[in-house]
PDB file of all heavy atoms in Angstrom:
ATOM      1  N   PRO A 187     132.229 128.703 -89.104  1.00 82.00           N
ATOM      2  CA  PRO A 187     133.454 129.049 -89.854  1.00 82.00           C
ATOM      3  C   PRO A 187     134.310 130.108 -89.159  1.00 82.00           C
ATOM      4  O   PRO A 187     135.485 130.268 -89.492  1.00 82.00           O
ATOM      5  CB  PRO A 187     132.899 129.573 -91.188  1.00 82.00           C
ATOM      6  CG  PRO A 187     131.537 130.100 -90.841  1.00 82.00           C
ATOM      7  CD  PRO A 187     131.010 129.221 -89.748  1.00 82.00           C
ATOM      8  N   SER A 188     133.751 130.832 -88.206  1.00 83.00           N
ATOM      9  CA  SER A 188     134.481 131.901 -87.531  1.00 83.00           C
ATOM     10  C   SER A 188     135.408 131.383 -86.434  1.00 83.00           C
ATOM     11  O   SER A 188     136.295 132.109 -85.974  1.00 83.00           O
ATOM     12  CB  SER A 188     133.504 132.915 -86.925  1.00 83.00           C
ATOM     13  OG  SER A 188     132.738 132.324 -85.874  1.00 83.00           O
ATOM     14  N   LEU A 189     135.204 130.120 -86.024  1.00 82.00           N
ATOM     15  CA  LEU A 189     136.020 129.552 -84.958  1.00 82.00           C
ATOM     16  C   LEU A 189     137.254 128.857 -85.519  1.00 82.00           C
ATOM     17  O   LEU A 189     137.130 127.986 -86.381  1.00 82.00           O
ATOM     18  CB  LEU A 189     135.214 128.547 -84.122  1.00 82.00           C
ATOM     19  CG  LEU A 189     134.152 129.096 -83.172  1.00 82.00           C
ATOM     20  CD1 LEU A 189     133.382 127.940 -82.522  1.00 82.00           C
ATOM     21  CD2 LEU A 189     134.796 129.942 -82.073  1.00 82.00           C
ATOM     22  N   PRO A 190     138.450 129.202 -85.052  1.00 83.00           N
ATOM     23  CA  PRO A 190     139.665 128.485 -85.474  1.00 83.00           C
ATOM     24  C   PRO A 190     139.602 127.019 -85.041  1.00 83.00           C
ATOM     25  O   PRO A 190     138.964 126.684 -84.039  1.00 83.00           O
ATOM     26  CB  PRO A 190     140.792 129.231 -84.737  1.00 83.00           C
ATOM     27  CG  PRO A 190     140.214 130.558 -84.351  1.00 83.00           C
ATOM     28  CD  PRO A 190     138.750 130.330 -84.139  1.00 83.00           C
ATOM     29  N   GLU A 191     140.285 126.168 -85.785  1.00 82.00           N
ATOM     30  CA  GLU A 191     140.256 124.746 -85.495  1.00 82.00           C
ATOM     31  C   GLU A 191     140.791 124.422 -84.098  1.00 82.00           C
ATOM     32  O   GLU A 191     140.307 123.510 -83.425  1.00 82.00           O
ATOM     33  CB  GLU A 191     141.068 123.985 -86.553  1.00 82.00           C
ATOM     34  CG  GLU A 191     140.409 123.908 -87.916  1.00 82.00           C
ATOM     35  CD  GLU A 191     139.045 123.222 -87.862  1.00 82.00           C
ATOM     36  OE1 GLU A 191     138.933 122.176 -87.159  1.00 82.00           O
ATOM     37  OE2 GLU A 191     138.115 123.722 -88.499  1.00 82.00           O
ATOM     38  N   LYS A 192     141.775 125.177 -83.681  1.00 79.00           N
ATOM     39  CA  LYS A 192     142.348 124.964 -82.360  1.00 79.00           C
ATOM     40  C   LYS A 192     141.303 125.185 -81.266  1.00 79.00           C
ATOM     41  O   LYS A 192     141.230 124.431 -80.285  1.00 79.00           O
ATOM     42  CB  LYS A 192     143.537 125.916 -82.153  1.00 79.00           C
ATOM     43  CG  LYS A 192     144.295 125.684 -80.866  1.00 79.00           C
ATOM     44  CD  LYS A 192     145.490 126.619 -80.776  1.00 79.00           C
ATOM     45  CE  LYS A 192     146.250 126.385 -79.457  1.00 79.00           C
ATOM     46  NZ  LYS A 192     147.433 127.305 -79.369  1.00 79.00           N
ATOM     47  N   ILE A 193     140.493 126.240 -81.433  1.00 82.00           N
ATOM     48  CA  ILE A 193     139.439 126.538 -80.472  1.00 82.00           C
ATOM     49  C   ILE A 193     138.361 125.464 -80.498  1.00 82.00           C
ATOM     50  O   ILE A 193     137.845 125.048 -79.456  1.00 82.00           O
ATOM     51  CB  ILE A 193     138.815 127.928 -80.743  1.00 82.00           C
ATOM     52  CG1 ILE A 193     139.878 129.025 -80.673  1.00 82.00           C
ATOM     53  CG2 ILE A 193     137.682 128.216 -79.772  1.00 82.00           C
ATOM     54  CD1 ILE A 193     140.528 129.174 -79.319  1.00 82.00           C
ATOM     55  N   LYS A 194     138.020 125.007 -81.706  1.00 77.00           N
ATOM     56  CA  LYS A 194     137.015 123.953 -81.841  1.00 77.00           C
ATOM     57  C   LYS A 194     137.448 122.691 -81.098  1.00 77.00           C
ATOM     58  O   LYS A 194     136.651 122.073 -80.375  1.00 77.00           O
ATOM     59  CB  LYS A 194     136.776 123.637 -83.316  1.00 77.00           C
ATOM     60  CG  LYS A 194     136.011 124.711 -84.074  1.00 77.00           C
ATOM     61  CD  LYS A 194     135.793 124.285 -85.510  1.00 77.00           C
ATOM     62  CE  LYS A 194     135.023 125.372 -86.279  1.00 77.00           C
ATOM     63  NZ  LYS A 194     134.807 124.970 -87.693  1.00 77.00           N
ATOM     64  N   LYS A 195     138.704 122.305 -81.284  1.00 77.00           N
ATOM     65  CA  LYS A 195     139.215 121.116 -80.600  1.00 77.00           C
ATOM     66  C   LYS A 195     139.143 121.264 -79.090  1.00 77.00           C
ATOM     67  O   LYS A 195     138.810 120.313 -78.372  1.00 77.00           O
ATOM     68  CB  LYS A 195     140.654 120.851 -81.033  1.00 77.00           C
ATOM     69  CG  LYS A 195     140.783 120.295 -82.443  1.00 77.00           C
ATOM     70  CD  LYS A 195     142.248 120.008 -82.772  1.00 77.00           C
ATOM     71  CE  LYS A 195     142.360 119.434 -84.180  1.00 77.00           C
ATOM     72  NZ  LYS A 195     143.798 119.151 -84.530  1.00 77.00           N
ATOM     73  N   GLN A 196     139.460 122.453 -78.619  1.00 74.00           N
ATOM     74  CA  GLN A 196     139.417 122.708 -77.187  1.00 74.00           C
ATOM     75  C   GLN A 196     137.999 122.595 -76.645  1.00 74.00           C
ATOM     76  O   GLN A 196     137.764 122.019 -75.579  1.00 74.00           O
ATOM     77  CB  GLN A 196     139.993 124.118 -76.897  1.00 74.00           C
ATOM     78  CG  GLN A 196     140.218 124.435 -75.426  1.00 74.00           C
ATOM     79  CD  GLN A 196     141.305 123.614 -74.791  1.00 74.00           C
ATOM     80  OE1 GLN A 196     142.217 123.172 -75.484  1.00 74.00           O
ATOM     81  NE2 GLN A 196     141.216 123.376 -73.485  1.00 74.00           N
ATOM     82  N   LEU A 197     137.050 123.165 -77.385  1.00 77.00           N
ATOM     83  CA  LEU A 197     135.653 123.152 -76.955  1.00 77.00           C
ATOM     84  C   LEU A 197     135.029 121.766 -77.015  1.00 77.00           C
ATOM     85  O   LEU A 197     134.148 121.430 -76.223  1.00 77.00           O
ATOM     86  CB  LEU A 197     134.835 124.129 -77.800  1.00 77.00           C
ATOM     87  CG  LEU A 197     135.141 125.624 -77.638  1.00 77.00           C
ATOM     88  CD1 LEU A 197     134.374 126.435 -78.678  1.00 77.00           C
ATOM     89  CD2 LEU A 197     134.769 126.091 -76.228  1.00 77.00           C
ATOM     90  N   LEU A 198     135.489 120.964 -77.972  1.00 78.00           N
ATOM     91  CA  LEU A 198     134.869 119.662 -78.218  1.00 78.00           C
ATOM     92  C   LEU A 198     135.594 118.492 -77.546  1.00 78.00           C
ATOM     93  O   LEU A 198     135.280 117.331 -77.810  1.00 78.00           O
ATOM     94  CB  LEU A 198     134.772 119.416 -79.723  1.00 78.00           C
ATOM     95  CG  LEU A 198     133.891 120.400 -80.502  1.00 78.00           C
ATOM     96  CD1 LEU A 198     134.003 120.165 -81.998  1.00 78.00           C
ATOM     97  CD2 LEU A 198     132.431 120.286 -80.043  1.00 78.00           C
ATOM     98  N   LYS A 199     136.566 118.773 -76.723  1.00 76.00           N
ATOM     99  CA  LYS A 199     137.279 117.713 -76.025  1.00 76.00           C
ATOM    100  C   LYS A 199     136.318 116.873 -75.190  1.00 76.00           C
ATOM    101  O   LYS A 199     135.374 117.405 -74.590  1.00 76.00           O
ATOM    102  CB  LYS A 199     138.366 118.316 -75.128  1.00 76.00           C
ATOM    103  CG  LYS A 199     139.544 118.874 -75.890  1.00 76.00           C
ATOM    104  CD  LYS A 199     140.519 119.598 -74.964  1.00 76.00           C
ATOM    105  CE  LYS A 199     141.160 118.742 -73.965  1.00 76.00           C
ATOM    106  NZ  LYS A 199     142.181 119.460 -73.152  1.00 76.00           N
ATOM    107  N   GLU A 200     136.568 115.575 -75.163  1.00 75.00           N
ATOM    108  CA  GLU A 200     135.689 114.674 -74.424  1.00 75.00           C
ATOM    109  C   GLU A 200     135.755 114.914 -72.921  1.00 75.00           C
ATOM    110  O   GLU A 200     134.783 114.704 -72.200  1.00 75.00           O
ATOM    111  CB  GLU A 200     136.052 113.219 -74.733  1.00 75.00           C
ATOM    112  CG  GLU A 200     135.751 112.803 -76.169  1.00 75.00           C
ATOM    113  CD  GLU A 200     136.011 111.331 -76.406  1.00 75.00           C
ATOM    114  OE1 GLU A 200     136.369 110.633 -75.428  1.00 75.00           O
ATOM    115  OE2 GLU A 200     135.845 110.861 -77.555  1.00 75.00           O
ATOM    116  N   LYS A 201     136.916 115.346 -72.478  1.00 76.00           N
ATOM    117  CA  LYS A 201     137.076 115.659 -71.060  1.00 76.00           C
ATOM    118  C   LYS A 201     137.663 117.056 -70.901  1.00 76.00           C
ATOM    119  O   LYS A 201     138.352 117.566 -71.784  1.00 76.00           O
ATOM    120  CB  LYS A 201     137.981 114.640 -70.371  1.00 76.00           C
ATOM    121  CG  LYS A 201     137.391 113.232 -70.335  1.00 76.00           C
ATOM    122  CD  LYS A 201     138.221 112.279 -69.493  1.00 76.00           C
ATOM    123  CE  LYS A 201     137.522 110.930 -69.405  1.00 76.00           C
ATOM    124  NZ  LYS A 201     138.008 110.096 -68.450  1.00 76.00           N
ATOM    125  N   ARG A 202     137.354 117.691 -69.811  1.00 75.00           N
ATOM    126  CA  ARG A 202     137.901 119.005 -69.525  1.00 75.00           C
ATOM    127  C   ARG A 202     138.405 119.058 -68.088  1.00 75.00           C
ATOM    128  O   ARG A 202     138.018 118.251 -67.244  1.00 75.00           O
ATOM    129  CB  ARG A 202     136.839 120.097 -69.713  1.00 75.00           C
ATOM    130  CG  ARG A 202     135.618 119.958 -68.834  1.00 75.00           C
ATOM    131  CD  ARG A 202     134.649 121.088 -69.094  1.00 75.00           C
ATOM    132  NE  ARG A 202     133.411 120.933 -68.331  1.00 75.00           N
ATOM    133  CZ  ARG A 202     133.262 121.333 -67.066  1.00 75.00           C
ATOM    134  NH1 ARG A 202     134.283 121.922 -66.412  1.00 75.00           N
ATOM    135  NH2 ARG A 202     132.102 121.169 -66.449  1.00 75.00           N
ATOM    136  N   GLU A 203     139.290 119.996 -67.839  1.00 81.00           N
ATOM    137  CA  GLU A 203     139.881 120.149 -66.514  1.00 81.00           C
ATOM    138  C   GLU A 203     138.970 120.960 -65.594  1.00 81.00           C
ATOM    139  O   GLU A 203     138.267 121.865 -66.029  1.00 81.00           O
ATOM    140  CB  GLU A 203     141.242 120.822 -66.622  1.00 81.00           C
ATOM    141  CG  GLU A 203     142.310 119.948 -67.272  1.00 81.00           C
ATOM    142  CD  GLU A 203     143.650 120.638 -67.335  1.00 81.00           C
ATOM    143  OE1 GLU A 203     143.676 121.868 -67.567  1.00 81.00           O
ATOM    144  OE2 GLU A 203     144.678 119.960 -67.164  1.00 81.00           O
ATOM    145  N   ASP A 204     139.019 120.608 -64.321  1.00 82.00           N
ATOM    146  CA  ASP A 204     138.273 121.323 -63.304  1.00 82.00           C
ATOM    147  C   ASP A 204     139.107 121.333 -62.016  1.00 82.00           C
ATOM    148  O   ASP A 204     140.056 120.568 -61.877  1.00 82.00           O
ATOM    149  CB  ASP A 204     136.913 120.667 -63.054  1.00 82.00           C
ATOM    150  CG  ASP A 204     135.952 121.596 -62.293  1.00 82.00           C
ATOM    151  OD1 ASP A 204     136.278 122.790 -62.128  1.00 82.00           O
ATOM    152  OD2 ASP A 204     134.902 121.101 -61.851  1.00 82.00           O
ATOM    153  N   VAL A 205     138.759 122.217 -61.110  1.00 85.00           N
ATOM    154  CA  VAL A 205     139.431 122.286 -59.817  1.00 85.00           C
ATOM    155  C   VAL A 205     138.539 121.665 -58.758  1.00 85.00           C
ATOM    156  O   VAL A 205     137.348 121.979 -58.672  1.00 85.00           O
ATOM    157  CB  VAL A 205     139.770 123.735 -59.413  1.00 85.00           C
ATOM    158  CG1 VAL A 205     140.459 123.748 -58.046  1.00 85.00           C
ATOM    159  CG2 VAL A 205     140.663 124.383 -60.456  1.00 85.00           C
ATOM    160  N   GLU A 206     139.112 120.783 -57.976  1.00 87.00           N
ATOM    161  CA  GLU A 206     138.386 120.117 -56.895  1.00 87.00           C
ATOM    162  C   GLU A 206     139.013 120.524 -55.560  1.00 87.00           C
ATOM    163  O   GLU A 206     140.200 120.382 -55.347  1.00 87.00           O
ATOM    164  CB  GLU A 206     138.466 118.612 -57.068  1.00 87.00           C
ATOM    165  CG  GLU A 206     137.737 117.806 -56.016  1.00 87.00           C
ATOM    166  CD  GLU A 206     137.907 116.313 -56.211  1.00 87.00           C
ATOM    167  OE1 GLU A 206     139.026 115.811 -55.948  1.00 87.00           O
ATOM    168  OE2 GLU A 206     136.941 115.660 -56.655  1.00 87.00           O
ATOM    169  N   PHE A 207     138.179 121.063 -54.677  1.00 86.00           N
ATOM    170  CA  PHE A 207     138.618 121.446 -53.345  1.00 86.00           C
ATOM    171  C   PHE A 207     138.146 120.396 -52.335  1.00 86.00           C
ATOM    172  O   PHE A 207     136.982 119.997 -52.350  1.00 86.00           O
ATOM    173  CB  PHE A 207     138.050 122.812 -52.956  1.00 86.00           C
ATOM    174  CG  PHE A 207     138.611 123.952 -53.766  1.00 86.00           C
ATOM    175  CD1 PHE A 207     137.993 124.345 -54.938  1.00 86.00           C
ATOM    176  CD2 PHE A 207     139.749 124.610 -53.355  1.00 86.00           C
ATOM    177  CE1 PHE A 207     138.507 125.390 -55.688  1.00 86.00           C
ATOM    178  CE2 PHE A 207     140.272 125.655 -54.097  1.00 86.00           C
ATOM    179  CZ  PHE A 207     139.649 126.048 -55.269  1.00 86.00           C
ATOM    180  N   ILE A 208     139.052 119.953 -51.476  1.00 89.00           N
ATOM    181  CA  ILE A 208     138.716 118.981 -50.439  1.00 89.00           C
ATOM    182  C   ILE A 208     138.394 119.717 -49.145  1.00 89.00           C
ATOM    183  O   ILE A 208     139.237 120.432 -48.594  1.00 89.00           O
ATOM    184  CB  ILE A 208     139.866 117.982 -50.205  1.00 89.00           C
ATOM    185  CG1 ILE A 208     140.309 117.356 -51.521  1.00 89.00           C
ATOM    186  CG2 ILE A 208     139.434 116.919 -49.193  1.00 89.00           C
ATOM    187  CD1 ILE A 208     139.224 116.603 -52.253  1.00 89.00           C
ATOM    188  N   HIS A 209     137.154 119.534 -48.663  1.00 89.00           N
ATOM    189  CA  HIS A 209     136.700 120.171 -47.438  1.00 89.00           C
ATOM    190  C   HIS A 209     136.674 119.151 -46.291  1.00 89.00           C
ATOM    191  O   HIS A 209     136.261 118.014 -46.475  1.00 89.00           O
ATOM    192  CB  HIS A 209     135.292 120.751 -47.611  1.00 89.00           C
ATOM    193  CG  HIS A 209     135.257 121.987 -48.455  1.00 89.00           C
ATOM    194  ND1 HIS A 209     135.047 123.240 -47.923  1.00 89.00           N
ATOM    195  CD2 HIS A 209     135.436 122.168 -49.793  1.00 89.00           C
ATOM    196  CE1 HIS A 209     135.072 124.134 -48.906  1.00 89.00           C
ATOM    197  NE2 HIS A 209     135.300 123.504 -50.049  1.00 89.00           N
ATOM    198  N   HIS A 210     137.113 119.596 -45.120  1.00 86.00           N
ATOM    199  CA  HIS A 210     137.134 118.722 -43.941  1.00 86.00           C
ATOM    200  C   HIS A 210     136.019 119.105 -42.984  1.00 86.00           C
ATOM    201  O   HIS A 210     135.817 120.288 -42.685  1.00 86.00           O
ATOM    202  CB  HIS A 210     138.481 118.822 -43.223  1.00 86.00           C
ATOM    203  CG  HIS A 210     138.527 118.027 -41.954  1.00 86.00           C
ATOM    204  ND1 HIS A 210     138.613 116.648 -41.941  1.00 86.00           N
ATOM    205  CD2 HIS A 210     138.463 118.432 -40.639  1.00 86.00           C
ATOM    206  CE1 HIS A 210     138.618 116.231 -40.693  1.00 86.00           C
ATOM    207  NE2 HIS A 210     138.529 117.285 -39.885  1.00 86.00           N
ATOM    208  N   THR A 211     135.276 118.107 -42.524  1.00 85.00           N
ATOM    209  CA  THR A 211     134.254 118.281 -41.489  1.00 85.00           C
ATOM    210  C   THR A 211     134.398 117.162 -40.465  1.00 85.00           C
ATOM    211  O   THR A 211     135.138 116.196 -40.681  1.00 85.00           O
ATOM    212  CB  THR A 211     132.834 118.246 -42.085  1.00 85.00           C
ATOM    213  OG1 THR A 211     132.528 116.905 -42.508  1.00 85.00           O
ATOM    214  CG2 THR A 211     132.696 119.208 -43.248  1.00 85.00           C
ATOM    215  N   HIS A 212     133.682 117.268 -39.365  1.00 87.00           N
ATOM    216  CA  HIS A 212     133.698 116.218 -38.350  1.00 87.00           C
ATOM    217  C   HIS A 212     133.107 114.917 -38.878  1.00 87.00           C
ATOM    218  O   HIS A 212     133.397 113.830 -38.375  1.00 87.00           O
ATOM    219  CB  HIS A 212     132.924 116.672 -37.111  1.00 87.00           C
ATOM    220  CG  HIS A 212     133.584 117.802 -36.371  1.00 87.00           C
ATOM    221  ND1 HIS A 212     134.845 117.689 -35.830  1.00 87.00           N
ATOM    222  CD2 HIS A 212     133.156 119.055 -36.100  1.00 87.00           C
ATOM    223  CE1 HIS A 212     135.172 118.829 -35.242  1.00 87.00           C
ATOM    224  NE2 HIS A 212     134.165 119.684 -35.403  1.00 87.00           N
ATOM    225  N   SER A 213     132.293 115.025 -39.904  1.00 86.00           N
ATOM    226  CA  SER A 213     131.655 113.844 -40.492  1.00 86.00           C
ATOM    227  C   SER A 213     132.504 113.209 -41.590  1.00 86.00           C
ATOM    228  O   SER A 213     132.149 112.157 -42.129  1.00 86.00           O
ATOM    229  CB  SER A 213     130.281 114.219 -41.071  1.00 86.00           C
ATOM    230  OG  SER A 213     129.458 114.787 -40.068  1.00 86.00           O
ATOM    231  N   GLY A 214     133.606 113.854 -41.924  1.00 86.00           N
ATOM    232  CA  GLY A 214     134.474 113.335 -42.974  1.00 86.00           C
ATOM    233  C   GLY A 214     134.801 114.377 -44.020  1.00 86.00           C
ATOM    234  O   GLY A 214     134.319 115.515 -43.977  1.00 86.00           O
TER     235      GLY A 214
END
């Protein structure tokens, strides 16, 4: 009950954002 609905929706989202870094090597 202490969590606002907006926060609950954010926490319970089916997908979340992340940062992906592309690294280059001689192997690809």
Side-chain angles (χ1 to χ4, degrees):
S188 66
L189 287 175
E191 288 301 317
K192 186 177 180 180
I193 301 297
K194 288 182 180 180
K195 286 182 179 180
Q196 189 67 27
L197 293 173
L198 297 173
K199 288 174 64 175
E200 292 185 3
K201 295 187 175 194
R202 60 180 176 84
E203 291 181 323
D204 196 10
V205 179
E206 181 183 72
F207 292 90
I208 308 301
H209 287 253
H210 176 74
T211 71
H212 293 300
S213 303

